[in-house]
């Protein structure tokens, strides 16, 4: 009887410990997933903000032929140009011209980049992009800081708001988080420092 009682007590203790550690492990995995989505969103946002601030930088002081600070701009894509190394072009064709002609756009998944993805010059910058409710990836504002509706005229854009959300499935076991998502949403505003076509 004593052995059976001890075995029963041991089983109760082990079951309690198992349940405790299992819950802690699930919590840890969820937190790691949340941190990963936040890091992805922050990294992409930092790269985009830095390059947008450089848009329209002309090494010679005036825009080279065929170059514009902003070439095209929509709610889901933007193409910017600059002459970072001052060589008189903005084609970004060599390794010293990284960031001279950059396009950010949303598109569908690829075999190596899941979900909706944000591309930078055709390459996957961040995966699992989700549009925050009622917001666009890019929102544009004019000189008076008024929102520009529709497709903006590039010459009118003075500030760009970026709203980036990375969303993945909750890694909790089935039944605990069926259909739930973990999302990290970040936003930043970028004041364009350089005029559209060289020095005013």
């Amino acid at each position: 009887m004593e052995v059976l009682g001890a075995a029963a007590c041991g089983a109760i203790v082990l079951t309690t410990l198992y349940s405790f550690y299992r819950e802690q492990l699930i919590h840890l995995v969820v937190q790691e997933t949340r941190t990963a989505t936040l890091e992805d969103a922050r990294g992409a946002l930092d790269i985009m903000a830095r390059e947008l601030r450089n848009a329209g930088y002309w090494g010679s002081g005036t825009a080279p032929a065929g170059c514009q600070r902003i070439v095209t701009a929509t709610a889901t894509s933007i193409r910017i140009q600059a002459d970072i190394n001052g060589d008189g072009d903005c084609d970004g064709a060599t390794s010293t011209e990284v960031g001279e002609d950059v396009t950010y756009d949303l598109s569908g998944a690829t075999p190596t980049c899941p979900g909706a993805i944000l591309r930078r010059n055709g390459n996957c910058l961040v995966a699992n992009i989700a549009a925050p409710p009622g917001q666009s990836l890019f929102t544009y504002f004019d000189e008076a800081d008024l929102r520009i509706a529709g497709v903006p005229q590039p010459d009118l854009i003075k500030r760009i708001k970026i709203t980036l959300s990375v969303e993945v499935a909750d890694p909790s076991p089935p039944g605990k988080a069926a259909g739930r998502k973990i999302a990290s949403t970040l936003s930043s505003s970028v004041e364009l420092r350089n005029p559209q076509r060289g020095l005013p």
Side-chain angles (χ1 to χ4, degrees):
M1 292 297 292
E2 290 178 358
V3 172
L4 289 175
C9 289
I12 291 170
V13 170
L14 288 175
T15 302
T16 304
L17 286 173
Y18 172 78
S19 298
F20 173 77
Y21 282 115
R22 183 174 182 273
E23 287 299 317
Q24 292 303 310
L25 180 61
I26 292 169
H27 181 71
L28 177 63
V29 170
V30 169
Q31 289 303 327
E32 286 179 347
T33 302
R34 190 178 308 279
T35 300
T37 61
L38 186 60
E39 288 175 351
D40 287 349
R42 183 178 291 128
L45 194 63
D46 287 347
I47 291 171
M48 295 168 73
R50 182 175 66 247
E51 290 191 322
L52 286 171
R53 286 190 187 98
N54 285 334
Y57 171 80
W58 315 120
S60 64
T62 57
C67 296
Q68 300 178 68
R69 178 187 68 186
I70 298 175
V71 181
T72 58
T74 70
T76 58
S77 70
I78 188 169
R79 181 181 173 199
I80 56 173
Q81 292 180 329
D83 182 14
I84 303 297
N85 63 359
D87 66 350
D89 66 49
C90 55
D91 57 16
T94 69
S95 59
T96 61
E97 298 176 327
V98 172
E100 288 197 343
D101 191 340
V102 178
T103 301
Y104 290 105
D105 64 311
L106 287 176
S107 64
T110 68
T112 57
C113 210
I117 63 175
L118 175 61
R119 293 177 181 269
R120 180 189 178 279
N121 286 355
N123 299 314
C124 179
L125 179 63
V126 63
N128 297 306
I129 294 292
Q135 299 189 55
S136 302
L137 176 61
F138 299 109
T139 308
Y140 305 97
F141 298 84
D142 63 16
E143 190 75 36
D145 208 34
L146 299 174
R147 181 176 178 173
I148 303 172
V151 178
Q153 183 179 335
D155 290 350
L156 300 179
I157 300 171
K158 178 61 178 173
R159 181 170 70 89
I160 303 171
K161 180 183 176 186
I162 311 165
T163 305
L164 190 62
S165 183
V166 178
E167 184 178 277
V168 296
D170 191 319
S172 299
K176 284 188 76 83
R180 259 191 352 203
K181 300 282 187 179
I182 292 178
S184 292
T185 302
L186 295 176
S187 181
S188 181
S189 283
V190 178
E191 294 277 347
L192 299 179
R193 299 182 293 196
N194 304 301
Q196 175 74 344
R197 298 187 180 278
L199 294 174

